Amino acid sequence: MKNKRVLTRQQKKQLLYEKFHSLRFTVWLYFSIFMISILVLMWVSFVFSLERTYRVTKTRTILDTAQYIVNEWNNDRFTTEQLDKIAHDNDMCVLIQDSYFRTMYSYDIMAKNCLIHGTQGFFNLPSLRSAVFNSENGIYYTELENPRFNNNTLMFAMLIGTKEEPKGYVYLNTSLEPLDSTTEILRSQMVQITLAVLIIGAGVSYFLSKLIATPIVRIKRSAEKMGQGDYNVNFNGRGYTETERLADTLNYASGEISKVDTLRKDIIANVSHDLRTPLTMVKAYAEMVRDLSGDNPEKRNEHVGIIIEESDRLAALVNDILDLSKLENKTAELNISEFCLKDKLEDVMTRYTLLSEQQGYKFYLSAPAEITVKADIIKIEQVLYNLINNAVNYSGDSREIYVMQLVRGRKVRICVTDTGKGIEKELMPLIFDRYYRAEKHKREVIGTGLGLSIVKQILIRHGFEFGVQSEQGTGSTFWFEMDIVSETIPESEIEVVD
Ligand code: ADP
């Protein structure tokens, strides 16, 4: 059985709204409006200006024809057949008289109902002739009503020869109104054209609206899929430059969102793992203190010590997550100031005295020149701690850590070197990523997996270059470079030339 979706009234309304506001419908609507406007314009001009246009055109034709007849007559080049044709083609009555008013040529299309050949005295030729003589250039024309047909006609007369030596007269009379049959033919043609334009236009506008909207509709469908969480969707904007660019941008954005999404999932997995492990330990050791070692001070101290250690680990992890998120969101403002790098390095190194005394680590600092740099001193201190802590954690059995300050032109490079087992070449580009660990969750090594990501963010925010050089079995050197503001070379380093 077919599962029919029952829509609520609101949903139906929404669907209808979307349909009538869709790009395809809108394009189709605009095309149709355009087409109908043209048709309306055509009809308006047909109804209102047909007569006017007809009259103007006809008058111009008659004037040209009369001029032509007179020229040809003067040159004796006319034959009756030629004149018949002209009269017939232009739908007019023609009368040519010589200077003694004898008829030389006559063409009557209205069976004596025109104003020239008419027997009912519609117009008298002598008064027309005197009008010709009185005119400036021997031409006289006027609009007159033909009472027989109740229509407007153009009455035209022209002198052949000159006023001093008249050779004859040409009279023309023609209707200035289109014949009913002509109007009817035009109207029926207009109806046919209108119907054809409506049918073809509807089809063409439907096709065009589809053609224009298709790439956008395709992109919309892909965007809907992406909205539902499918970030591997491909946007296809083939058709126009703009939609192609839009699709490229969306493909890039979906790729980036997909990366962020994977990262988010990784982070949640890692953070929950990293939080869960110390919490499990804290719970387990707390239970042990309660049930087993509560009365045994030695065991109890050992277990409480582990609880404290794990709590520290938790606190460090939470702090690192907060620091990193602040740096990445750019909410952590940099507090830039000038300070002496040598002093800072010495200050940091003193904090490791306990470690060197208790666990036999050896720290070497080489910072001969007093160099002033410009940076956020707290953040640079954090970079140094993270790098030195890593060197301590990964220095292996040699337990030797070297911190060096090297001047390279207008820059000073700080190197933190250990003699541990180093990092594999392929892993080097990855270790600055969040939660990347070469050896997955080695519990004996203290670390949150965020240390180098924090270093990277701080150095990027400062615009300082950084990197790592490492060889397996030999050790690693992590470095970063700062701009030198000023430099004082100690006296012992200055060579005295005699
Ligand atoms: P962690 O808390 O794991 O030390 P970091 O971001 O500081 O996190 O470092 C990421 C990874 O880079 C470490 O897990 C380790 O595999 C590698 N690493 C960092 N410093 C060193 C070093 N000095 N020697 C060898 N490996 C290192």
Side-chain angles (χ1 to χ4, degrees):
M1 214 174 78
K2 219 174 166 187
N3 198 1
K4 223 177 161 192
R5 229 177 105 208
V6 184
L7 298 177
T8 62
R9 227 172 133 184
Q10 190 63 31
Q11 282 171 325
K12 275 185 199 158
K13 246 174 138 183
Q14 179 67 20
L15 269 179
L16 217 64
Y17 176 85
E18 279 175 15
K19 207 170 186 120
F20 288 121
H21 283 80
S22 67
L23 179 68
R24 233 166 102 175
F25 180 79
T26 314
V27 171
W28 177 81
L29 186 73
Y30 287 158
F31 268 119
S32 305
I33 291 175
F34 175 67
M35 191 174 65
I36 290 168
S37 313
I38 289 182
L39 285 177
V40 168
L41 208 74
M42 252 169 69
W43 274 99
V44 168
S45 79
F46 174 73
V47 172
F48 293 106
S49 65
L50 178 69
E51 238 171 73
R52 237 190 94 244
T53 317
Y54 189 87
R55 180 186 302 250
V56 170
T57 319
K58 197 82 194 229
T59 310
R60 201 180 310 128
T61 315
I62 295 288
L63 289 176
D64 291 348
T65 311
Q67 191 71 56
Y68 179 70
I69 293 173
V70 171
N71 282 344
E72 296 296 285
W73 192 269
N74 273 337
N75 296 324
D76 264 345
R77 278 203 298 252
F78 251 129
T79 62
T80 316
E81 289 77 36
Q82 274 175 310
L83 273 173
D84 286 352
K85 183 153 177 28
I86 291 172
H88 173 266
D89 289 351
N90 290 292
D91 212 8
M92 58 192 183
C93 294
V94 181
L95 178 68
I96 302 177
Q97 291 180 329
D98 67 5
S99 51
Y100 301 105
F101 316 129
R102 289 173 304 198
T103 299
M104 306 294 293
Y105 171 81
S106 171
Y107 189 88
D108 180 10
I109 52 161
M110 288 186 231
K112 302 219 181 290
N113 282 315
C114 74
L115 298 184
I116 309 169
H117 300 92
T119 49
Q120 302 162 32
F122 296 148
F123 200 83
N124 74 41
L125 293 182
S127 62
L128 194 59
R129 278 195 297 272
S130 62
V132 169
F133 264 95
N134 288 335
S135 72
E136 215 176 283
N137 47 3
I139 296 173
Y140 176 78
Y141 63 92
T142 181
E143 263 185 55
L144 286 174
E145 197 187 318
N146 185 334
R148 178 76 179 82
F149 301 122
N150 262 342
N151 67 339
N152 263 328
T153 68
L154 182 78
M155 187 65 223
F156 178 91
M158 192 168 179
L159 182 71
I160 306 172
T162 56
K163 282 185 191 173
E164 295 74 37
E165 212 180 308
K167 287 186 186 163
Y169 307 91
V170 176
Y171 311 99
L172 304 176
N173 184 219
T174 184
S175 171
L176 279 180
E177 285 173 23
L179 294 175
D180 279 355
S181 59
T182 315
T183 320
E184 206 41 55
I185 291 168
L186 281 175
R187 182 169 289 119
S188 93
Q189 275 197 343
M190 281 283 289
V191 171
Q192 282 171 23
I193 290 171
T194 306
L195 283 177
V197 167
L198 278 177
I199 293 166
I200 296 171
V204 169
S205 59
Y206 175 77
F207 176 72
L208 277 179
S209 64
K210 208 171 160 189
L211 201 77
I212 291 172
T214 300
I216 295 175
V217 171
R218 239 188 282 134
I219 290 176
K220 184 205 87 172
R221 285 205 195 109
S222 303
E224 276 166 359
K225 274 193 198 160
M226 194 171 96
Q228 284 157 9
D230 179 1
Y231 297 115
N232 293 323
V233 70
N234 182 41
F235 288 92
N236 178 354
R238 208 164 11 90
Y240 318 103
T241 316
E242 288 84 354
T243 48
E244 273 169 24
R245 292 282 161 282
L246 178 65
D248 288 349
T249 314
L250 287 171
N251 278 329
Y252 175 75
S254 69
E256 291 301 301
I257 294 173
S258 165
K259 275 191 218 159
V260 171
D261 191 53
T262 319
L263 204 70
R264 183 181 58 86
K265 285 181 189 149
D266 282 358
I267 287 174
I268 291 175
N270 285 324
V271 168
S272 49
H273 177 274
D274 280 16
L275 289 176
R276 204 169 339 112
T277 317
L279 278 174
T280 317
M281 300 275 276
V282 167
K283 186 169 178 257
Y285 280 92
E287 279 171 357
M288 265 160 66
V289 172
R290 186 192 63 194
D291 302 337
L292 303 170
S293 56
D295 302 331
N296 181 341
E298 204 180 308
K299 280 265 176 222
R300 191 184 57 213
N301 282 348
E302 189 194 323
H303 292 163
V304 170
I306 293 173
I307 293 175
I308 293 171
E309 215 174 84
E310 291 300 325
S311 311
D312 286 346
R313 198 195 285 271
L314 266 177
L317 178 64
V318 172
N319 282 339
D320 277 1
I321 292 171
L322 279 178
D323 283 350
L324 191 59
S325 96
K326 271 195 223 157
L327 281 164
E328 285 185 344
N329 293 338
K330 310 236 165 15
T331 42
E333 287 292 318
L334 291 185
N335 204 351
I336 304 287
S337 64
E338 286 185 10
F339 60 91
C340 174
L341 186 60
K342 183 186 171 127
D343 292 350
K344 189 75 249 167
L345 289 172
E346 282 171 354
D347 174 34
V348 169
M349 296 311 281
T350 52
R351 316 265 177 99
Y352 289 92
T353 324
L354 199 67
L355 206 61
S356 97
E357 280 169 6
Q358 285 181 352
Q359 296 184 28
Y361 283 96
K362 292 192 194 87
F363 292 92
Y364 301 96
L365 172 65
S366 156
E370 288 193 0
I371 291 168
T372 307
V373 288
K374 215 172 161 185
D376 184 325
I377 189 163
I378 308 275
K379 298 264 178 322
I380 293 300
E381 199 176 270
Q382 196 175 356
V383 169
L384 289 169
Y385 279 128
N386 285 4
L387 293 182
I388 298 171
N389 285 347
N390 275 354
V392 168
N393 289 337
Y394 302 102
S395 67
D397 295 333
S398 72
R399 301 197 166 198
E400 285 177 2
I401 291 107
Y402 300 86
V403 178
M404 274 173 284
Q405 171 196 288
L406 307 168
V407 176
R408 297 161 66 94
R410 289 309 304 155
K411 292 198 187 273
V412 56
R413 178 180 278 218
I414 296 102
C415 299
V416 179
T417 305
D418 65 71
T419 47
K421 64 186 174 85
I423 307 162
E424 282 175 50
K425 222 181 173 120
E426 312 82 73
L427 303 182
M428 278 204 272
L430 306 174
I431 55 171
F432 286 95
D433 288 348
R434 262 182 270 166
Y435 281 113
Y436 184 80
R437 276 172 170 166
E439 290 165 68
K440 292 283 172 197
H441 302 287
K442 229 173 136 205
R443 294 285 309 159
E444 62 267 26
V445 169
I446 298 166
T448 59
L450 295 174
L452 287 182
S453 315
I454 293 174
V455 167
K456 177 179 162 182
Q457 285 302 327
I458 292 177
L459 296 176
I460 286 178
R461 288 282 306 272
H462 277 87
F464 295 159
E465 279 186 45
F466 60 94
V468 57
Q469 284 153 0
S470 183
E471 211 170 295
Q472 275 198 290
T474 317
S476 318
T477 298
F478 284 81
W479 61 266
F480 65 96
E481 280 182 355
M482 307 168 83
D483 294 325
I484 297 174
V485 176
S486 66
E487 178 185 2
T488 320
I489 300 165
E491 268 175 41
S492 58
E493 299 271 321
I494 301 170
E495 266 184 52
V496 184
V497 184
D498 293 326

